Amino acid sequence: MREIKIFSGRANQKLAEDVCNFLHLKLGRVSLGEFPDGEIQCKIDEDVRGRDVFLVQPTCPPVNNNLMELLVMIDSCRRASAERITAVIPYYGYARQDRKDEGRVPITAKLVADLITSAGADRVLTMDLHAAQIQGFFNVPVDHLNASPVLNHYFLSLGVPTEDLCVVSPDAGSIKRAVTHHRRLNGELAIVDKRRTSAHETTTKNIIGGPVEGKIAVIFDDMISTAGSICGAAKVVHKAGAREIYIAATHGVLCGPAVARLQAAPIKELILTDTIPQKSQDLLTNMRVLSVAPLLGEAIKRIHNDESISALFRENIA
């Protein structure tokens, strides 16, 4: 199992190539396509018998296609006698349904975990899950990375004085994430009071903590989907007198009206990582995409060598 093989699905091949460049490896050859009826066709074009295989595939939109492609690739490697298969899922789709909050609804985060395990994955490497407890839905080891070293490094490089900075949580559910960033960046800490009115709509009213007036505010979240919540938080922070506003998130799903909302939002810069390939980059001139390839690459190397993953964040590899 000493030889490592890294393959990529079609969801984010650029990220997989960057990971391989970091590790000084060649990306494995795999043929992917569709049969005439739309079924996914897969063939691993290299010998993987007895190898330590890593399959890079975020389950971003189109979610169902990318998820099925990942399952087919896992099954291909398992039937080709790979010694160990690690599903590298930088963005884990279906994560928002992680509990039964009303009757007759599924827990799709658990369903997808079961599918990945049943397909033959021996472990999972993922980043900034929407809910950390999803790790417990798997019956195989899960290494859960977070992009905070990458994002923090960028904001520290801007040289903003501590007394001018305010780290903002866009809602109560993101307080722990904001506190993690605040420990590294310092400055003030504030929370936006967000109330959910329906499955698709939220309202933002007050700011707890702070102050944000005259400050450079940085709003952190795990993902931006339709951008309603994060733009609402930005408007509240702007109204409270923030001098400049940055929005930072790990996963830029950016679906529906997200681009239009972000274009109209009172923000100086939108910072995302490349866990999801960004097709909206040409539309948003103030978007900056940071690479998590070194972070994923170092984690892959440590998994292969049976070394500590938690040390990654103590040593601030990114």
Side-chain angles (χ1 to χ4, degrees), residues 15-38:
L15 177 59
E17 290 171 352
D18 290 344
V19 169
C20 287
N21 289 336
F22 176 83
L23 295 171
H24 306 292
L25 295 172
K26 288 186 178 180
L27 185 64
R29 291 178 285 110
V30 56
S31 298
L32 291 163
E34 285 84 23
F35 289 105
D37 61 355

Side-chain angles (χ1 to χ4, degrees), residues 106-160:
I107 304 179
T108 52
K110 168 61 174 168
L111 172 62
V112 170
D114 288 342
L115 290 171
I116 292 168
T117 305
S118 297
D122 296 297
R123 67 186 305 130
V124 171
L125 174 62
T126 188
M127 180 170 285
D128 279 327
L129 290 168
H130 191 61
Q133 65 265 23
I134 293 173
Q135 297 172 77
F137 293 174
F138 288 88
N139 293 323
V140 296
V142 176
D143 292 301
H144 184 209
L145 306 180
N146 64 75
S148 59
V150 177
L151 297 172
N152 290 342
H153 181 267
Y154 174 73
F155 285 110
L156 288 170
S157 71
L158 296 179
V160 178

Side-chain angles (χ1 to χ4, degrees), residues 215-231:
K215 303 285 186 180
I216 296 175
V218 185
I219 308 174
F220 288 100
D221 212 345
D222 64 320
M223 62 182 288
I224 299 176
S225 183
T226 61
S229 297
I230 202 83
C231 288

Side-chain angles (χ1 to χ4, degrees), residues 301-316:
K301 183 176 74 173
R302 289 173 183 243
I303 290 170
H304 178 67
N305 294 328
D306 297 322
E307 296 173 352
S308 171
I309 296 294
S310 59
L312 257 175
F313 301 98
R314 293 196 299 269
E315 296 168 13
N316 207 11

